[in-house]
Amino acid sequence: MDRKGDGKMELKRRDFLRVAALAAGGAAFLGRPADALASPDLSGWPDRAGMLTDLTECVGCRTCESACNAANGLPAPDVPFDEKSVFDRKRRPTASAYTVVNRYEAKGSANPVYRKVQCNHCEEPSCAAACPVRAYTKTPEGPVLYDKDVCFGCRYCMVACPFYAPAYDYESALEPRVVKCTMCHGRIRAGGIPACAGSCPVGAITFGKRKELLKIARDRIRRFPDRYVEQVYGEYEAGGTGWLYLSGVPFPQLDFPDNLPKKPIVENTKGFLSAVPLVFTLWPALLGLCYAANGNKEEKG
Amino acid sequence: MKKKAVHAAALVIAVLLAASVAAVAGPSAPGPVAKAAGKMPGILVLGAIAERYPPVKFDHGKHVGMAGACAECHHQHDGGTAASCAGCHKVDPEAFRKNVNLAKIRPCAECHPPSWKAERPGMPTLKAAYHRACIRCHRDVGSVGKDPKGCAEMCHESGAQARAK
C-alpha cells in the first residue's frame, strides 16, 4: 500500500524532472526538436531484434546474470551467482550487473515468480530523447546503445527511463559513465545471440526479430490460455519496447509499471519542445524590436 | 482407532498402486505403452555435455510409471495442438505409416536444435527442452523445492561428487 503511494509520488516528481530535462535538452539544440533524437519511425527497420522473456518458464537460477557478467567482462559479484539470499530484497541493475533477477510471491501462483530486469530497449526511448548530448541511439538492429565518450554525466536518462534501467557508475568520478544492458549488440552484429538468451537453461529468454517474437508470444497465449494473462507486456507500453514479456500473473504484481501511456513518452513533450526553438529565436527578436521601438519613443519624447 | 483406519487406507492404496504399475509394465498388458515396452529404455545416461557436468543418469523406467502418459514428455502431438502433420512427419505416405505404426518416439534433438536457429527462434533448444521437461514436474511435486537449486543439487553430479566415487 505504502509502496504504491510512494510510486505515485515518484512518478509525479519524475514527470516534472522529465519535462525539465527535455526543456534543457531542447534549449541546447535549437531547431532540433527532441523527438528527432528518438527515431519515431521504425518502419525502415523491420528486422530489428527483440527479446521475449517468458516469466512462466523462469526458475530463478540466475544463469543469465552470470552469463551477462562474463560476456561484458564485469567485476565478480559480491556474493556468488548461486547464492539465493539475494532474492530477499528487490534489486535494480547496477554498473556492475546489467541484469538482475528478482523473486515475487505472486497471488494465484503456487510457485514463486522470477522476473529478470534489464534495459527494455524501447522503440522510442525516452532516455535518448532526454539526453542533451545524443549519447543514446536506437540502432537499426534493435538495441538502444549508449556512448560514454559524449556523455557528461547529467543522468537525465536515468530520470527519463520509466523502467529504472540505466545505472550510474559512481566508481569513476572523473569519467562519468551511465551503464545498462546493450542487448549484446556486438554479438548480434556478429550473427550470435545475447548472452542471457543463449545461456538460459530453460529457454525462458527468446531472441529474435521483434515482429516474430510478438507472433510467438500471441501464439503461446492462444495455445495455453490458462497459463498466461492475456497481455504481451512491451507490445504497446511506452510506445512499445524491444524486450517483451509473457506472464502467468498480472504484470503489476511483478512491479511492471501499468500506468505507462501507449504512445511513446516522448510524445508528451513534443508539442512543448517544438515551441522551444521558436521561443528562443523569435521572442528575443520581437521583444528586441519592441524595446528598440519604445527606446526611440522615449528618446524623442 | 483412527490411526488404524489410515494405515488400512494406505495399505489399500499401496496395493492398488503396485497393481497398476504391474499392469502397465507387465508383458501381457494391452495398450501402446506395453507395446513399446519391449524397446523402452531403462536407465538412460545423458552425457552430451559430460565435459562440463558429469552425465545425468535418468531412470526412464521409473518415470514411465509416474508420468501418466508418454506424451507428458514426448509431446509429438502436443496434446492435439500441433500446427500440422508435416511439421514433424514426412508427408510421404510410406514414411508416415512407418512412423505411426511403429510408435516411433523421435529423439528430442530432431526438433530441438543444440543451439539457437534464426529460422525458428521460438523453438526451445535441446538444453531448454530437457530442463523444462524435468523441472516442470519436479518443481510442482516439490521434490526439488520451489526455489531453484544448484545444478549439482538437482540432477547433475558435481565434479567433486563424481571424483569421490
Side-chain angles (χ1 to χ4, degrees):
Chain A
M1 280 298 269
D2 280 359
R3 210 155 130 188
K4 205 165 183 188
D6 286 353
K8 268 189 186 155
M9 285 293 287
E10 180 70 10
L11 251 168
K12 273 185 192 157
R13 185 178 147 269
R14 280 182 152 238
D15 284 343
F16 168 74
L17 290 175
R18 193 173 296 142
V19 171
L22 289 168
F29 288 87
L30 296 183
R32 253 187 226 172
D35 55 273
L37 301 173
S39 323
D41 181 16
L42 301 183
S43 57
W45 305 342
D47 289 345
R48 61 190 184 278
M51 307 283 275
L52 170 66
T53 300
D54 190 331
L55 298 166
T56 67
E57 296 287 2
C58 179
V59 292
C61 67
R62 299 179 67 211
T63 305
C64 52
E65 286 187 41
S66 162
C68 175
N69 177 286
N72 291 295
L74 299 174
D78 296 336
V79 289
F81 283 113
D82 55 2
E83 175 60 52
K84 301 299 179 279
S85 64
V86 293
F87 291 132
D88 293 344
R89 61 186 184 87
K90 302 286 180 282
R91 296 175 299 153
R92 271 179 65 173
T94 65
S96 52
Y98 300 172
T99 186
V100 293
V101 177
N102 285 327
R103 180 178 63 192
Y104 291 87
E105 301 295 335
K107 271 181 237 151
S109 172
N111 291 320
V113 179
Y114 296 93
R115 175 193 167 191
K116 179 183 180 304
V117 187
Q118 76 297 306
C119 168
N120 282 330
H121 301 273
C122 297
E123 297 278 84
E124 293 189 47
S126 46
C127 55
C131 180
V133 292
R134 282 192 168 188
Y136 284 90
T137 327
K138 174 78 177 173
T139 58
E141 292 84 17
V144 174
L145 295 186
Y146 159 86
D147 181 357
K148 75 170 165 50
D149 292 337
V150 286
C151 175
F152 66 100
C154 72
R155 285 173 274 168
Y156 287 164
C157 52
M158 294 173 66
V159 181
C161 175
F163 303 108
Y164 306 89
Y168 196 68
D169 186 2
Y170 288 97
E171 298 298 315
S172 50
L174 294 177
E175 262 187 86
R177 203 165 64 108
V178 176
V179 281
K180 67 170 199 66
C181 157
T182 61
M183 211 198 267
C184 289
H185 183 244
R187 284 168 168 250
I188 295 178
R189 289 193 77 161
I193 70 170
C196 55
S199 69
C200 180
V202 289
I205 313 163
T206 307
F207 168 77
K209 293 174 188 169
R210 186 179 185 269
K211 57 178 183 188
E212 281 182 23
L213 295 180
L214 272 174
K215 278 187 209 158
I216 291 170
R218 289 197 205 105
D219 189 52
R220 282 189 202 166
I221 293 176
R222 182 182 60 77
R223 285 166 63 199
F224 309 106
D226 298 340
R227 184 179 179 134
Y228 299 106
V229 293
E230 213 176 328
Q231 181 186 4
V232 183
Y233 193 95
E235 184 173 8
Y236 302 114
E237 280 70 18
T241 55
W243 210 294
L244 307 167
Y245 300 86
L246 283 173
S247 171
V249 298
F251 284 100
Q253 281 193 35
L254 309 174
D255 286 345
F256 280 88
D258 63 339
N259 52 358
L260 298 181
K262 282 193 171 181
K263 57 180 187 173
I265 288 168
V266 186
E267 300 266 335
N268 295 336
T269 48
K270 235 182 210 172
F272 167 72
L273 282 177
S274 58
V276 169
L278 277 180
V279 170
F280 274 81
T281 52
L282 285 184
W283 282 29
L286 272 175
L287 294 173
L289 272 175
C290 289
Y291 176 77
N294 280 333
N296 284 346
K297 220 190 263 171
E298 272 168 25
E299 266 173 27
K300 275 179 194 166
Chain B
M1 202 48 195
K2 243 183 189 173
K3 218 174 179 184
K4 240 183 188 176
V6 171
H7 278 164
L11 195 70
V12 168
I13 289 168
V15 167
L16 280 175
L17 266 178
S20 63
V21 168
V24 166
S28 61
V33 174
K35 257 192 214 165
K39 287 184 281 178
M40 213 161 55
I43 290 179
L44 287 168
V45 179
L46 312 174
I49 49 157
E51 76 282 356
R52 238 185 116 185
Y53 292 108
V56 171
K57 288 191 194 79
F58 173 70
D59 192 337
H60 185 267
K62 196 172 157 192
H63 283 78
V64 167
M66 289 184 290
C70 305
E72 286 288 319
C73 302
H74 300 284
H75 60 127
Q76 265 88 347
H77 293 101
D78 215 359
T81 58
S84 70
C85 308
C88 297
H89 296 281
K90 282 182 198 161
V91 193
D92 156 27
E94 205 51 41
F96 184 78
R97 200 176 305 132
K98 204 175 164 194
N99 250 351
V100 173
N101 291 348
L102 291 182
K104 183 188 170 201
I105 296 292
R106 293 161 49 125
C108 311
E110 269 187 34
C111 294
H112 297 283
S115 61
W116 181 84
K117 292 275 171 289
E119 309 86 69
R120 299 194 72 186
M123 172 61 75
T125 59
L126 190 57
K127 177 174 75 172
Y130 269 125
H131 281 128
R132 278 189 196 183
C134 301
I135 290 170
R136 191 178 54 221
C137 292
H138 280 269
R139 207 178 171 203
D140 284 349
V141 296
S143 59
V144 292
K146 295 195 168 185
D147 263 343
K149 294 263 165 76
C151 312
E153 287 169 78
M154 280 178 76
C155 307
H156 301 276
E157 277 182 299
S158 71
Q161 280 172 315
R163 276 192 296 277
K165 277 190 181 174

